[in-house]
Amino acid sequence: MIESLRLFTRHSAAVSFLGVVLFCGPAQGAGIEEIIVTAQKRAESVQDVPIAISAFSGENLEELGVRNLSDVGRFASGVEMHNSDGTQPTYSIRGVQTFDFTAGSDPTVAVYVDGIYAARGAGAEIPLVDIERVEILKGPQGTLFGRNAIGGAIHIITAEPSPESEGSARVSVGNHGRRDLEVMFNQPLTDTMAARLTLYRHKRDGWLDNIAGSDQNQEDNRGLRLALEWAPSDDWNVLWRAAYSEKDQFSGVIPTITDAIAQFGTPPQAQADPFDEIAIDGRNGEERELFTTSLEVVREFDDFTLTAITGWRSYSSDFWQDEDGSANNDYLFNSLNDSDEDLFSQEIRFTGENDRFKWTLGGSYSRERIDRVTLAEFSRSTLETFAGWEAIKAGAVPGIPGTPLLTESQLAEFLPFVRAQNKAAGVDGIFLATFLSGLLEPCGPGVPDGVCAQAILPGVQAEIASGVPWVETLANTGTFESTAIYGDMTWTLTERLNLSVGARYTYDEKEFSIDTRFQNTFLGTPFGLAFFIQTPTDPQDYLARFAGCPLANGVPVPCISQELEDDWEALSGRLVLDYAFSDTVMGYAGVSTGFKSGGFNSLNFGPGIRPSYDSEELINYEAGLKGDFLDGRLRLNTAVYFYQYDDLQELDLVGTPIPSYNLRNADAEGSGVDLDFTYAVTDGLTLSGSYSYLDTEYTDYQIIPAVGETPADDLTGEPRAGTPRNRFNMSLVYTTPVRHWGEAMFRLDYLYSGERRSGRADVSEQDPVRVVDSYDQWNGRMTFLTSDAAWEFALWGRNLTDEEIVGDFGNIGQAIGSIAMWPLPPRLFGLDVVYHF
């Protein structure tokens, strides 16, 4: 821990400034905003809740200039969000996350919007426009939020109608063609009813210069939200919300960093540099239509409150990606995920309190229907690249040692040159011919692979030269039902000591189907690459797998068609003691557990791969302190924790001779510290920030060993991916009157993120792309508010020093030897103009 702090000190002069400010004398009268949260299903001050929470009010969000959850995550301790697209986001809390994009699994961090669970990441990301607050609850929240909150829960609460007529209009412009419009109208309709309408349109041109096509990583979001609140009496409140949004943008680009692939591309590049110019020939982008509606009914009785929340979420999304990240036809690999989801949820809960007890009893039910079609497109030349990649890794190419003597990143630089040499020598296609000879025995039993490869080489070369694309599709459907009952109670043992006890029983029942059709033939034989993983060496057994598959022109088309079902149940809970040392300082200690439902491998093939996998369980031990000091001018919240993670669902590229992504179970543990502070130095000067330390480790990795894996693939004892060990941010805000004209606010934000392990869990220890470098980022904002509070003007900038920041390395293009990286945005700046009426 001390060494970690020393490391940070070497990276930032901001610590010295922090020391100066903390010891300058604060003026009397300064104060810190109180934020009310509903982390325990009742309205409470964030300082009174014995849970580690990072909470942001709507005003905080505007001052920070955030636009989505990934932006919010930069200001919360223990939270990591590096998302390059909005339909496949990943959220990490204390290192608990899932790098999964398949339809058969669930997320690890639960996202709720106005109390309604967003079951899929594709429907979780919404623009943060007209938001009341965002709550990030850290650690397993299995009692009150249920399944899939094993890492924590994120709750977005949109602004409710108010009894006053009000409105606002915001226009934002910035570099890279940014142009935003946000409008809000709030109007009371009667003495007991009010309505609120919010509309927005966010647009920005791409900031990645693509010399082979359109610029990438643009933004185009539009939507509206309507809320209607009716309070016929003091005992009744009915709140109806509905929202519709559309997303249509080029985003989620992960360019190759393999220089040789870029050099042999069209057009060629001297080197691969995602921070300068990229060259991709496939479509990158996402489209989404999202509709949500909910009805919340609250009835106050003498001794308790009844709350019923009914929700419906429905979205349709398409996500295209150039998986090889290049404009090299020998590596052409494009994918499409076409998803449709409908989710119905119902929760009913009773809450009450008296002098000794606060209690909650409730039940919930949800039913999700997911339909997804995944399409992968290759050139036939990509098949030769794939076969060559497997050969070069195995050390089967003369003069090039394989792994583990060389890392995958090093080997990736050789293959394009080997392909070029083979083309010049007239033997391009030899890798694929050798691969097919050993697998399908096209020349008959007993013919040596080398002899057969030479015999079929002309046919393989004709296939590659034909230019006929190779397309594979996979269809998944799932019906997932979850039922739960829960109870939570806080018992006031003494005037200062409370005991909180909670438990939830969850039962999940899932049905899942896999329907795959491969419409390709090669050398007159119909097959799909995926089948080779489970294919015996006897070709007749391979052809026997076609029984029951559809015919195309009288020829069986390979297929996988399965109907699967399984169920899981779990009991999760918490036990927490909290003690009030004074009226403003509270400490707590406890244990809590979380549960993530099991699921299905969307491909479901390969040696050692099971159709379904076990549910995750996590037990977390935590102690924390929350306090306001110096007459309310200093707020300090901190927590230390240790957790054990059983049956962690890890997505991995496994199997031979054709690797594929499947989920397997592993075990891990983690420990760390979260610290958040806010210091009102004077009436006009505020300093705030957070620090997090995290240490994680796999304790058992090869629970489902895959055939062909080497000991180097076992990550036992290594840290988990995605989260840095050290992370620090600090914000300095100075507010001052400007004569009689109004008020000015100056804000400077600093973020340091330490190095972290790449999300590519399968890379070797020696691979340089295994580690994502640390980085510093500075953001700033200058705001002027007129004296009548009608007009607001803000100049802002993000990544002011234009740092080249790596989000992460790797995507599924690594299966053919294209090592990729996604960059985070460069310097962005702009102007906001807001009119309040």
Side-chain angles (χ1 to χ4, degrees):
M1 181 71 172
I2 297 297
E3 287 300 315
S4 301
L5 290 173
R6 289 174 179 169
L7 173 67
F8 169 72
T9 304
R10 290 197 298 268
H11 280 82
S12 174
V15 173
S16 299
F17 177 73
L18 172 61
V20 172
V21 173
L22 283 178
F23 289 100
C24 69
Q28 299 296 319
I32 298 174
E33 175 189 12
E34 181 183 37
I35 299 180
I36 302 299
V37 298
T38 53
Q40 298 188 122
K41 303 293 186 179
R42 58 169 58 89
E44 301 169 292
S45 169
V46 69
Q47 293 302 101
D48 296 334
V49 180
I51 300 173
I53 304 173
S54 290
F56 302 85
S57 67
E59 184 178 353
N60 293 153
L61 299 174
E62 290 187 9
E63 292 177 358
L64 293 170
V66 302
R67 298 163 62 81
N68 51 46
L69 282 179
S70 293
D71 291 340
V72 176
R74 294 183 178 93
F75 298 95
S77 61
V79 178
E80 196 77 12
M81 302 177 189
H82 291 290
N83 296 311
S84 59
D85 55 79
T87 56
Q88 292 189 335
T90 297
Y91 307 116
S92 172
I93 298 180
R94 294 177 172 176
V96 180
Q97 61 195 341
T98 298
F99 293 102
D100 183 24
F101 46 79
T102 62
S105 66
D106 291 317
T108 303
V109 173
V111 178
Y112 286 78
V113 181
D114 294 324
I116 307 300
Y117 177 51
R120 301 281 147 186
E125 278 279 343
I126 63 171
L128 297 181
V129 179
D130 197 25
I131 300 297
E132 181 177 326
R133 68 183 181 278
V134 173
E135 304 172 8
I136 302 178
L137 285 64
K138 306 166 193 176
Q141 306 297 321
T143 303
L144 293 172
F145 288 88
R147 69 188 185 114
N148 306 334
I150 191 168
I154 301 173
H155 196 183
I156 303 171
I157 299 95
T158 62
E160 298 181 7
S162 67
E164 299 179 357
S165 295
E166 59 177 333
S168 65
R170 175 190 297 267
V171 176
S172 301
V173 294
N175 63 332
H176 298 291
R178 175 173 172 173
R179 51 219 185 267
D180 297 348
L181 175 65
E182 301 172 4
V183 180
M184 182 275 290
F185 300 96
N186 187 95
Q187 182 64 43
L189 304 179
T190 68
D191 291 341
T192 60
M193 185 178 294
R196 192 180 190 95
L197 175 66
T198 305
L199 306 98
Y200 61 88
R201 178 69 183 269
H202 293 167
K203 293 198 70 173
R204 190 198 62 219
D205 299 335
W207 49 263
L208 266 179
D209 184 11
N210 177 27
I211 63 176
S214 302
D215 291 348
Q216 302 292 304
N217 283 356
Q218 65 166 187
E219 182 180 12
D220 191 349
N221 293 296
R222 52 194 175 274
L224 60 88
R225 185 168 64 243
L226 177 64
L228 187 65
E229 188 169 22
W230 179 46
S233 69
D234 293 339
D235 298 332
W236 283 93
N237 192 85
V238 180
L239 178 58
W240 172 74
R241 291 182 171 105
Y244 175 80
S245 64
E246 294 180 354
K247 182 189 296 285
D248 185 0
Q249 57 195 32
F250 297 133
S251 57
V253 181
I254 307 180
T256 187
I257 58 172
T258 306
D259 289 335
I261 294 177
Q263 291 167 11
F264 286 94
T266 305
Q269 294 177 281
Q271 64 179 23
D273 184 359
F275 294 107
D276 184 16
E277 290 180 330
I278 65 171
I280 58 172
D281 54 11
R283 181 177 182 181
N284 279 276
E286 53 189 342
E287 295 179 357
R288 186 191 70 184
E289 288 187 73
L290 172 65
F291 172 74
T292 64
T293 186
S294 65
L295 182 67
E296 179 179 343
V297 179
V298 179
R299 173 69 164 94
E300 299 280 355
F301 293 91
D302 291 339
D303 299 320
F304 64 89
T305 300
L306 168 64
T307 302
I309 304 178
T310 306
W312 174 265
R313 297 176 60 86
S314 177
Y315 77 81
S316 175
S317 71
D318 291 317
F319 181 67
W320 299 269
Q321 193 159 53
D322 184 321
E323 300 290 356
D324 60 287
S326 75
N328 188 328
N329 186 65
D330 292 339
Y331 285 79
L332 191 146
F333 183 2
N334 300 321
S335 69
L336 165 65
N337 278 312
D338 183 342
S339 301
D340 293 279
E341 186 229 26
D342 295 317
L343 173 71
F344 168 80
S345 64
Q346 178 66 62
E347 180 177 9
I348 298 176
R349 66 174 180 266
F350 301 85
T351 59
E353 62 179 281
N354 54 38
D355 293 340
R356 298 296 302 277
F357 295 100
K358 296 179 181 178
W359 55 271
T360 300
L361 292 174
S364 64
Y365 169 80
S366 67
R367 185 179 191 274
E368 178 193 9
R369 169 75 179 189
I370 179 75
D371 292 277
R372 177 174 295 178
V373 175
T374 300
L375 178 148
E377 177 188 9
F378 312 90
S379 69
R380 272 166 159 69
S381 187
T382 310
L383 307 184
E384 170 70 358
T385 297
F386 165 76
W389 176 242
E390 291 299 307
I392 202 171
K393 285 196 300 180
V397 179
I400 305 177
T403 57
L405 296 178
L406 294 178
T407 68
E408 287 193 7
S409 296
Q410 293 169 329
L411 291 175
E413 298 289 352
F414 285 105
L415 183 55
F417 289 98
V418 176
R419 287 286 313 266
Q421 292 173 354
N422 287 349
K423 290 176 183 179
V427 293
D428 191 40
I430 191 62
F431 292 131
L432 185 57
T434 303
F435 182 86
L436 295 176
S437 298
L439 197 62
L440 292 181
E441 297 184 355
C443 303
V447 178
D449 293 346
V451 174
C452 184
Q454 291 294 331
I456 67 173
L457 179 58
V460 171
Q461 290 176 328
E463 291 272 7
I464 293 175
S466 70
V468 176
W470 184 282
V471 179
E472 299 185 356
T473 59
L474 168 68
N476 294 128
T477 61
T479 301
F480 307 147
E481 294 185 86
S482 181
T483 306
I485 55 173
Y486 63 90
D488 191 76
M489 179 189 70
T490 299
W491 180 17
T492 302
L493 301 175
T494 70
E495 185 178 351
R496 295 186 178 274
L497 182 65
N498 298 312
L499 173 66
S500 296
V501 180
R504 174 186 288 251
Y505 170 76
T506 305
Y507 176 74
D508 282 4
E509 187 173 12
K510 298 185 177 184
E511 297 177 355
F512 192 72
S513 70
I514 303 172
D515 189 4
T516 305
R517 300 288 185 267
F518 297 101
Q519 309 283 340
N520 302 288
T521 62
F522 203 94
L523 300 179
T525 302
F527 64 86
L529 286 178
F531 288 87
F532 290 136
I533 290 184
Q534 61 179 13
T535 300
T537 56
D538 186 347
Q540 297 303 314
D541 287 346
Y542 169 74
L543 294 175
R545 294 181 183 275
F546 296 169
C549 293
L551 300 180
N553 299 321
V555 179
V557 176
C559 67
I560 296 176
S561 186
Q562 292 180 304
E563 299 288 336
L564 306 171
E565 61 179 85
D566 209 335
D567 58 77
W568 298 266
E569 60 182 345
L571 184 66
S572 52
R574 67 168 182 159
L575 179 66
V576 183
L577 275 170
D578 68 84
Y579 182 79
F581 296 99
S582 68
D583 292 341
T584 60
V585 180
M586 179 264 285
Y588 66 92
V591 58
S592 59
T593 62
F595 158 67
K596 176 183 173 182
S597 180
F600 302 92
N601 274 303
S602 295
L603 298 175
N604 189 31
F605 54 75
I609 302 301
R610 299 178 298 183
S612 62
Y613 44 82
D614 295 336
S615 58
E616 294 182 354
E617 295 182 359
L618 186 146
I619 183 168
N620 181 70
Y621 306 91
E622 183 168 334
L625 180 74
K626 294 185 175 186
D628 289 343
F629 307 92
L630 302 179
D631 295 327
R633 295 186 301 275
L634 174 63
R635 174 167 294 172
L636 180 65
N637 295 343
T638 187
V640 295
Y641 58 88
F642 169 78
Y643 61 77
Q644 292 178 308
Y645 209 160
D646 293 331
D647 291 329
L648 159 68
Q649 297 162 10
E650 194 77 18
L651 186 71
D652 204 355
L653 190 64
V654 296
T656 57
I658 308 286
S660 67
Y661 277 97
N662 284 280
L663 277 159
R664 56 205 277 176
N665 291 110
D667 292 342
E669 63 183 24
S671 59
V673 177
D674 293 337
L675 184 148
D676 298 90
F677 71 90
T678 302
Y679 182 41
V681 183
T682 68
D683 287 342
L685 181 64
T686 302
L687 181 71
S688 62
S690 67
Y691 170 76
S692 58
Y693 172 83
L694 175 64
D695 185 27
T696 62
E697 178 182 319
Y698 286 104
T699 56
D700 194 348
Y701 191 72
Q702 289 203 353
I703 295 177
I704 308 177
V707 173
E709 287 193 335
T710 67
D713 297 313
D714 187 351
L715 299 180
T716 302
E718 294 195 28
R720 290 207 65 217
T723 303
R725 178 167 292 189
N726 295 280
R727 193 168 178 274
F728 177 85
N729 75 75
M730 186 178 67
S731 298
L732 182 67
V733 180
Y734 179 67
T735 304
T736 183
V738 182
R739 305 184 70 175
H740 59 278
W741 299 323
E743 184 178 71
M745 182 184 74
F746 302 89
R747 182 183 188 95
L748 185 64
D749 301 311
Y750 170 79
L751 169 65
Y752 167 77
S753 182
E755 68 177 28
R756 65 186 189 278
R757 191 178 186 280
S758 168
R760 296 178 57 215
D762 57 299
V763 296
S764 63
E765 174 77 25
Q766 297 81 20
D767 200 318
V769 302
R770 183 176 178 271
V771 175
V772 180
D773 289 338
S774 62
Y775 67 87
D776 301 89
Q777 181 172 322
W778 292 89
N779 303 326
R781 187 179 184 89
M782 296 185 297
T783 304
F784 175 73
L785 181 67
T786 59
S787 57
D788 59 0
W791 289 92
E792 181 180 338
F793 305 88
L795 284 170
W796 54 267
R798 294 179 55 183
N799 191 9
L800 293 172
T801 56
D802 203 21
E803 297 294 319
E804 295 182 347
I805 302 173
V806 176
D808 207 344
F809 292 104
N811 68 332
I812 60 177
Q814 71 194 59
I816 57 173
S818 180
I819 311 301
M821 177 265 283
W822 73 76
L824 295 187
R827 181 192 296 116
L828 300 175
F829 54 86
L831 169 68
D832 297 346
V833 179
V834 185
Y835 175 57
H836 300 275
F837 55 89

